[in-house]
PDB file of all heavy atoms in Angstrom:
ATOM      1  N   GLN A1325      19.641 120.140-162.100  1.00  0.00           N
ATOM      2  CA  GLN A1325      18.655 119.457-162.869  1.00  0.00           C
ATOM      3  C   GLN A1325      17.265 119.622-162.268  1.00  0.00           C
ATOM      4  O   GLN A1325      16.274 119.804-162.966  1.00  0.00           O
ATOM      5  CB  GLN A1325      19.029 117.960-163.022  1.00  0.00           C
ATOM      6  CG  GLN A1325      18.478 117.307-164.229  1.00  0.00           C
ATOM      7  CD  GLN A1325      19.086 115.911-164.421  1.00  0.00           C
ATOM      8  OE1 GLN A1325      19.054 115.124-163.492  1.00  0.00           O
ATOM      9  NE2 GLN A1325      19.611 115.670-165.582  1.00  0.00           N
ATOM     10  N   VAL A1326      17.225 119.488-160.910  1.00  0.00           N
ATOM     11  CA  VAL A1326      15.963 119.688-160.206  1.00  0.00           C
ATOM     12  C   VAL A1326      15.472 121.105-160.380  1.00  0.00           C
ATOM     13  O   VAL A1326      14.301 121.386-160.595  1.00  0.00           O
ATOM     14  CB  VAL A1326      16.144 119.316-158.710  1.00  0.00           C
ATOM     15  CG1 VAL A1326      14.823 119.589-157.980  1.00  0.00           C
ATOM     16  CG2 VAL A1326      16.548 117.897-158.522  1.00  0.00           C
ATOM     17  N   LEU A1327      16.394 122.075-160.235  1.00  0.00           N
ATOM     18  CA  LEU A1327      16.051 123.471-160.424  1.00  0.00           C
ATOM     19  C   LEU A1327      15.465 123.743-161.799  1.00  0.00           C
ATOM     20  O   LEU A1327      14.398 124.404-161.919  1.00  0.00           O
ATOM     21  CB  LEU A1327      17.309 124.355-160.188  1.00  0.00           C
ATOM     22  CG  LEU A1327      17.186 125.837-160.472  1.00  0.00           C
ATOM     23  CD1 LEU A1327      16.137 126.498-159.594  1.00  0.00           C
ATOM     24  CD2 LEU A1327      18.528 126.548-160.321  1.00  0.00           C
ATOM     25  N   GLU A1328      16.154 123.239-162.816  1.00  0.00           N
ATOM     26  CA  GLU A1328      15.661 123.510-164.206  1.00  0.00           C
ATOM     27  C   GLU A1328      14.312 122.868-164.405  1.00  0.00           C
ATOM     28  O   GLU A1328      13.447 123.438-165.085  1.00  0.00           O
ATOM     29  CB  GLU A1328      16.696 122.990-165.188  1.00  0.00           C
ATOM     30  CG  GLU A1328      17.999 123.760-165.173  1.00  0.00           C
ATOM     31  CD  GLU A1328      19.089 123.153-166.000  1.00  0.00           C
ATOM     32  OE1 GLU A1328      18.810 122.044-166.559  1.00  0.00           O
ATOM     33  OE2 GLU A1328      20.166 123.730-166.124  1.00  0.00           O
ATOM     34  N   THR A1329      14.131 121.670-163.839  1.00  0.00           N
ATOM     35  CA  THR A1329      12.821 120.994-163.989  1.00  0.00           C
ATOM     36  C   THR A1329      11.704 121.805-163.340  1.00  0.00           C
ATOM     37  O   THR A1329      10.636 121.995-163.940  1.00  0.00           O
ATOM     38  CB  THR A1329      12.856 119.581-163.399  1.00  0.00           C
ATOM     39  OG1 THR A1329      13.902 118.816-164.014  1.00  0.00           O
ATOM     40  CG2 THR A1329      11.563 118.886-163.557  1.00  0.00           C
ATOM     41  N   LEU A1330      11.939 122.326-162.152  1.00  0.00           N
ATOM     42  CA  LEU A1330      10.920 123.123-161.487  1.00  0.00           C
ATOM     43  C   LEU A1330      10.601 124.355-162.259  1.00  0.00           C
ATOM     44  O   LEU A1330       9.427 124.787-162.399  1.00  0.00           O
ATOM     45  CB  LEU A1330      11.384 123.468-160.069  1.00  0.00           C
ATOM     46  CG  LEU A1330      11.298 122.367-159.034  1.00  0.00           C
ATOM     47  CD1 LEU A1330      12.029 122.767-157.743  1.00  0.00           C
ATOM     48  CD2 LEU A1330       9.851 121.982-158.720  1.00  0.00           C
ATOM     49  N   GLU A1331      11.664 125.039-162.770  1.00  0.00           N
ATOM     50  CA  GLU A1331      11.406 126.258-163.541  1.00  0.00           C
ATOM     51  C   GLU A1331      10.626 125.989-164.806  1.00  0.00           C
ATOM     52  O   GLU A1331       9.732 126.757-165.177  1.00  0.00           O
ATOM     53  CB  GLU A1331      12.775 126.902-163.891  1.00  0.00           C
ATOM     54  CG  GLU A1331      13.457 127.516-162.670  1.00  0.00           C
ATOM     55  CD  GLU A1331      14.678 128.297-163.033  1.00  0.00           C
ATOM     56  OE1 GLU A1331      15.410 127.868-163.960  1.00  0.00           O
ATOM     57  OE2 GLU A1331      14.945 129.384-162.458  1.00  0.00           O
ATOM     58  N   GLN A1332      10.876 124.874-165.484  1.00  0.00           N
ATOM     59  CA  GLN A1332      10.117 124.487-166.657  1.00  0.00           C
ATOM     60  C   GLN A1332       8.681 124.239-166.358  1.00  0.00           C
ATOM     61  O   GLN A1332       7.789 124.600-167.095  1.00  0.00           O
ATOM     62  CB  GLN A1332      10.761 123.312-167.374  1.00  0.00           C
ATOM     63  CG  GLN A1332      12.123 123.587-167.972  1.00  0.00           C
ATOM     64  CD  GLN A1332      12.846 122.340-168.444  1.00  0.00           C
ATOM     65  OE1 GLN A1332      12.349 121.238-168.319  1.00  0.00           O
ATOM     66  NE2 GLN A1332      14.059 122.503-168.966  1.00  0.00           N
ATOM     67  N   LEU A1333       8.512 123.563-165.220  1.00  0.00           N
ATOM     68  CA  LEU A1333       7.064 123.265-164.800  1.00  0.00           C
ATOM     69  C   LEU A1333       6.303 124.542-164.475  1.00  0.00           C
ATOM     70  O   LEU A1333       5.135 124.675-164.796  1.00  0.00           O
ATOM     71  CB  LEU A1333       7.057 122.362-163.576  1.00  0.00           C
ATOM     72  CG  LEU A1333       7.463 120.860-163.835  1.00  0.00           C
ATOM     73  CD1 LEU A1333       7.654 120.157-162.509  1.00  0.00           C
ATOM     74  CD2 LEU A1333       6.416 120.181-164.685  1.00  0.00           C
ATOM     75  N   LEU A1334       7.007 125.512-163.898  1.00  0.00           N
ATOM     76  CA  LEU A1334       6.351 126.766-163.506  1.00  0.00           C
ATOM     77  C   LEU A1334       5.998 127.625-164.702  1.00  0.00           C
ATOM     78  O   LEU A1334       5.156 128.576-164.567  1.00  0.00           O
ATOM     79  CB  LEU A1334       7.239 127.551-162.520  1.00  0.00           C
ATOM     80  CG  LEU A1334       7.282 126.967-161.095  1.00  0.00           C
ATOM     81  CD1 LEU A1334       8.361 127.691-160.301  1.00  0.00           C
ATOM     82  CD2 LEU A1334       5.912 127.230-160.438  1.00  0.00           C
ATOM     83  N   VAL A1335       6.573 127.371-165.821  1.00  0.00           N
ATOM     84  CA  VAL A1335       6.260 128.151-167.020  1.00  0.00           C
ATOM     85  C   VAL A1335       4.813 127.873-167.467  1.00  0.00           C
ATOM     86  O   VAL A1335       4.115 128.809-167.915  1.00  0.00           O
ATOM     87  CB  VAL A1335       7.214 127.824-168.172  1.00  0.00           C
ATOM     88  CG1 VAL A1335       6.753 128.403-169.490  1.00  0.00           C
ATOM     89  CG2 VAL A1335       8.631 128.324-167.842  1.00  0.00           C
ATOM     90  N   ASN A1336       4.393 126.652-167.270  1.00  0.00           N
ATOM     91  CA  ASN A1336       3.064 126.260-167.822  1.00  0.00           C
ATOM     92  C   ASN A1336       1.955 126.053-166.795  1.00  0.00           C
ATOM     93  O   ASN A1336       0.816 125.788-167.176  1.00  0.00           O
ATOM     94  CB  ASN A1336       3.241 124.976-168.597  1.00  0.00           C
ATOM     95  CG  ASN A1336       4.178 125.088-169.781  1.00  0.00           C
ATOM     96  OD1 ASN A1336       4.114 126.082-170.510  1.00  0.00           O
ATOM     97  ND2 ASN A1336       5.070 124.113-169.941  1.00  0.00           N
ATOM     98  N   ARG A1337       2.303 126.215-165.506  1.00  0.00           N
ATOM     99  CA  ARG A1337       1.244 126.009-164.495  1.00  0.00           C
ATOM    100  C   ARG A1337       1.454 126.957-163.320  1.00  0.00           C
ATOM    101  O   ARG A1337       2.545 127.371-163.032  1.00  0.00           O
ATOM    102  CB  ARG A1337       1.220 124.535-164.054  1.00  0.00           C
ATOM    103  CG  ARG A1337       2.476 124.047-163.433  1.00  0.00           C
ATOM    104  CD  ARG A1337       2.507 122.520-163.388  1.00  0.00           C
ATOM    105  NE  ARG A1337       2.687 121.910-164.687  1.00  0.00           N
ATOM    106  CZ  ARG A1337       2.555 120.641-164.931  1.00  0.00           C
ATOM    107  NH1 ARG A1337       2.208 119.814-164.006  1.00  0.00           N
ATOM    108  NH2 ARG A1337       2.751 120.152-166.155  1.00  0.00           N
ATOM    109  N   ALA A1338       0.342 127.219-162.613  1.00  0.00           N
ATOM    110  CA  ALA A1338       0.415 128.122-161.471  1.00  0.00           C
ATOM    111  C   ALA A1338       0.954 127.445-160.233  1.00  0.00           C
ATOM    112  O   ALA A1338       1.430 128.133-159.327  1.00  0.00           O
ATOM    113  CB  ALA A1338      -1.030 128.682-161.208  1.00  0.00           C
ATOM    114  N   GLU A1339       0.873 126.118-160.219  1.00  0.00           N
ATOM    115  CA  GLU A1339       1.421 125.404-159.000  1.00  0.00           C
ATOM    116  C   GLU A1339       1.987 124.076-159.473  1.00  0.00           C
ATOM    117  O   GLU A1339       1.562 123.511-160.468  1.00  0.00           O
ATOM    118  CB  GLU A1339       0.378 125.218-157.898  1.00  0.00           C
ATOM    119  CG  GLU A1339      -0.698 124.235-158.262  1.00  0.00           C
ATOM    120  CD  GLU A1339      -1.619 123.971-157.013  1.00  0.00           C
ATOM    121  OE1 GLU A1339      -1.803 124.903-156.204  1.00  0.00           O
ATOM    122  OE2 GLU A1339      -2.160 122.854-156.910  1.00  0.00           O
ATOM    123  N   VAL A1340       2.955 123.591-158.705  1.00  0.00           N
ATOM    124  CA  VAL A1340       3.613 122.340-159.003  1.00  0.00           C
ATOM    125  C   VAL A1340       3.450 121.412-157.795  1.00  0.00           C
ATOM    126  O   VAL A1340       3.772 121.796-156.664  1.00  0.00           O
ATOM    127  CB  VAL A1340       5.152 122.541-159.293  1.00  0.00           C
ATOM    128  CG1 VAL A1340       5.830 121.204-159.530  1.00  0.00           C
ATOM    129  CG2 VAL A1340       5.312 123.455-160.466  1.00  0.00           C
ATOM    130  N   THR A1341       2.891 120.236-158.016  1.00  0.00           N
ATOM    131  CA  THR A1341       2.762 119.251-156.932  1.00  0.00           C
ATOM    132  C   THR A1341       3.957 118.273-156.924  1.00  0.00           C
ATOM    133  O   THR A1341       4.735 118.226-157.853  1.00  0.00           O
ATOM    134  CB  THR A1341       1.428 118.448-157.113  1.00  0.00           C
ATOM    135  OG1 THR A1341       1.574 117.576-158.253  1.00  0.00           O
ATOM    136  CG2 THR A1341       0.257 119.358-157.321  1.00  0.00           C
ATOM    137  N   THR A1342       3.984 117.552-155.828  1.00  0.00           N
ATOM    138  CA  THR A1342       5.016 116.494-155.701  1.00  0.00           C
ATOM    139  C   THR A1342       4.910 115.506-156.885  1.00  0.00           C
ATOM    140  O   THR A1342       5.907 115.062-157.416  1.00  0.00           O
ATOM    141  CB  THR A1342       4.879 115.760-154.396  1.00  0.00           C
ATOM    142  OG1 THR A1342       4.872 116.713-153.327  1.00  0.00           O
ATOM    143  CG2 THR A1342       6.000 114.766-154.205  1.00  0.00           C
ATOM    144  N   LEU A1343       3.671 115.149-157.213  1.00  0.00           N
ATOM    145  CA  LEU A1343       3.515 114.189-158.279  1.00  0.00           C
ATOM    146  C   LEU A1343       3.943 114.776-159.648  1.00  0.00           C
ATOM    147  O   LEU A1343       4.481 114.106-160.496  1.00  0.00           O
ATOM    148  CB  LEU A1343       2.013 113.800-158.361  1.00  0.00           C
ATOM    149  CG  LEU A1343       1.711 112.443-159.013  1.00  0.00           C
ATOM    150  CD1 LEU A1343       2.481 111.325-158.347  1.00  0.00           C
ATOM    151  CD2 LEU A1343       0.187 112.187-158.937  1.00  0.00           C
ATOM    152  N   ASP A1344       3.675 116.093-159.891  1.00  0.00           N
ATOM    153  CA  ASP A1344       4.173 116.742-161.096  1.00  0.00           C
ATOM    154  C   ASP A1344       5.665 116.612-161.191  1.00  0.00           C
ATOM    155  O   ASP A1344       6.204 116.275-162.262  1.00  0.00           O
ATOM    156  CB  ASP A1344       3.816 118.221-161.093  1.00  0.00           C
ATOM    157  CG  ASP A1344       2.344 118.465-161.169  1.00  0.00           C
ATOM    158  OD1 ASP A1344       1.627 117.641-161.776  1.00  0.00           O
ATOM    159  OD2 ASP A1344       1.868 119.496-160.641  1.00  0.00           O
ATOM    160  N   LEU A1345       6.354 116.856-160.116  1.00  0.00           N
ATOM    161  CA  LEU A1345       7.821 116.774-160.119  1.00  0.00           C
ATOM    162  C   LEU A1345       8.313 115.327-160.371  1.00  0.00           C
ATOM    163  O   LEU A1345       9.221 115.103-161.116  1.00  0.00           O
ATOM    164  CB  LEU A1345       8.400 117.288-158.809  1.00  0.00           C
ATOM    165  CG  LEU A1345       9.915 117.364-158.738  1.00  0.00           C
ATOM    166  CD1 LEU A1345      10.510 118.306-159.766  1.00  0.00           C
ATOM    167  CD2 LEU A1345      10.346 117.821-157.320  1.00  0.00           C
ATOM    168  N   LEU A1346       7.607 114.373-159.780  1.00  0.00           N
ATOM    169  CA  LEU A1346       7.909 112.974-159.935  1.00  0.00           C
ATOM    170  C   LEU A1346       7.870 112.591-161.409  1.00  0.00           C
ATOM    171  O   LEU A1346       8.681 111.847-161.907  1.00  0.00           O
ATOM    172  CB  LEU A1346       6.988 112.136-159.097  1.00  0.00           C
ATOM    173  CG  LEU A1346       7.087 110.616-159.145  1.00  0.00           C
ATOM    174  CD1 LEU A1346       6.790 110.037-157.772  1.00  0.00           C
ATOM    175  CD2 LEU A1346       6.141 110.047-160.178  1.00  0.00           C
ATOM    176  N   GLN A1347       6.856 113.110-162.128  1.00  0.00           N
ATOM    177  CA  GLN A1347       6.699 112.735-163.510  1.00  0.00           C
ATOM    178  C   GLN A1347       7.606 113.451-164.420  1.00  0.00           C
ATOM    179  O   GLN A1347       7.901 112.985-165.535  1.00  0.00           O
ATOM    180  CB  GLN A1347       5.209 113.053-163.924  1.00  0.00           C
ATOM    181  CG  GLN A1347       4.204 112.174-163.280  1.00  0.00           C
ATOM    182  CD  GLN A1347       2.810 112.643-163.697  1.00  0.00           C
ATOM    183  OE1 GLN A1347       2.231 113.550-163.191  1.00  0.00           O
ATOM    184  NE2 GLN A1347       2.217 111.811-164.646  1.00  0.00           N
ATOM    185  N   ALA A1348       8.211 114.589-164.023  1.00  0.00           N
ATOM    186  CA  ALA A1348       8.977 115.433-164.930  1.00  0.00           C
ATOM    187  C   ALA A1348      10.491 115.244-164.790  1.00  0.00           C
ATOM    188  O   ALA A1348      11.176 115.543-165.811  1.00  0.00           O
ATOM    189  CB  ALA A1348       8.605 116.898-164.679  1.00  0.00           C
ATOM    190  N   LEU A1349      10.986 114.833-163.642  1.00  0.00           N
ATOM    191  CA  LEU A1349      12.406 114.760-163.535  1.00  0.00           C
ATOM    192  C   LEU A1349      13.031 113.784-164.518  1.00  0.00           C
ATOM    193  O   LEU A1349      12.499 112.670-164.635  1.00  0.00           O
ATOM    194  CB  LEU A1349      12.801 114.367-162.081  1.00  0.00           C
ATOM    195  CG  LEU A1349      13.076 115.496-161.117  1.00  0.00           C
ATOM    196  CD1 LEU A1349      13.297 114.935-159.719  1.00  0.00           C
ATOM    197  CD2 LEU A1349      14.268 116.339-161.505  1.00  0.00           C
ATOM    198  N   PRO A1350      14.132 114.147-165.178  1.00  0.00           N
ATOM    199  CA  PRO A1350      14.743 113.250-166.167  1.00  0.00           C
ATOM    200  C   PRO A1350      15.583 112.189-165.449  1.00  0.00           C
ATOM    201  O   PRO A1350      16.007 112.307-164.313  1.00  0.00           O
ATOM    202  CB  PRO A1350      15.650 114.171-166.959  1.00  0.00           C
ATOM    203  CG  PRO A1350      15.970 115.276-166.018  1.00  0.00           C
ATOM    204  CD  PRO A1350      14.758 115.488-165.155  1.00  0.00           C
ATOM    205  N   GLY A1351      15.820 111.075-166.141  1.00  0.00           N
ATOM    206  CA  GLY A1351      16.637 109.996-165.617  1.00  0.00           C
ATOM    207  C   GLY A1351      16.018 108.673-166.038  1.00  0.00           C
ATOM    208  O   GLY A1351      14.836 108.469-165.935  1.00  0.00           O
ATOM    209  N   GLU A1352      16.829 107.712-166.422  1.00  0.00           N
ATOM    210  CA  GLU A1352      16.345 106.427-166.855  1.00  0.00           C
ATOM    211  C   GLU A1352      15.734 105.668-165.674  1.00  0.00           C
ATOM    212  O   GLU A1352      14.731 104.990-165.786  1.00  0.00           O
ATOM    213  CB  GLU A1352      17.424 105.608-167.526  1.00  0.00           C
ATOM    214  CG  GLU A1352      17.919 106.220-168.827  1.00  0.00           C
ATOM    215  CD  GLU A1352      18.905 105.319-169.513  1.00  0.00           C
ATOM    216  OE1 GLU A1352      19.237 104.231-168.976  1.00  0.00           O
ATOM    217  OE2 GLU A1352      19.357 105.696-170.583  1.00  0.00           O
TER     218      GLU A1352
END
């Protein structure tokens, strides 16, 4: 799930920050 989230983020941006990942990971 983490891998897929990172790959999706990289589609739309040149870099991914820790905060980006925090906002994007799924889970209630």
Side-chain angles (χ1 to χ4, degrees):
Q1325 206 169 53
V1326 178
L1327 171 62
E1328 293 173 356
T1329 302
L1330 283 171
E1331 288 187 322
Q1332 290 170 2
L1333 287 170
L1334 285 169
V1335 169
N1336 299 317
R1337 61 193 73 190
E1339 71 174 30
V1340 177
T1341 69
T1342 306
L1343 203 55
D1344 292 333
L1345 184 61
L1346 179 146
Q1347 292 177 282
L1349 267 174
E1352 293 184 3

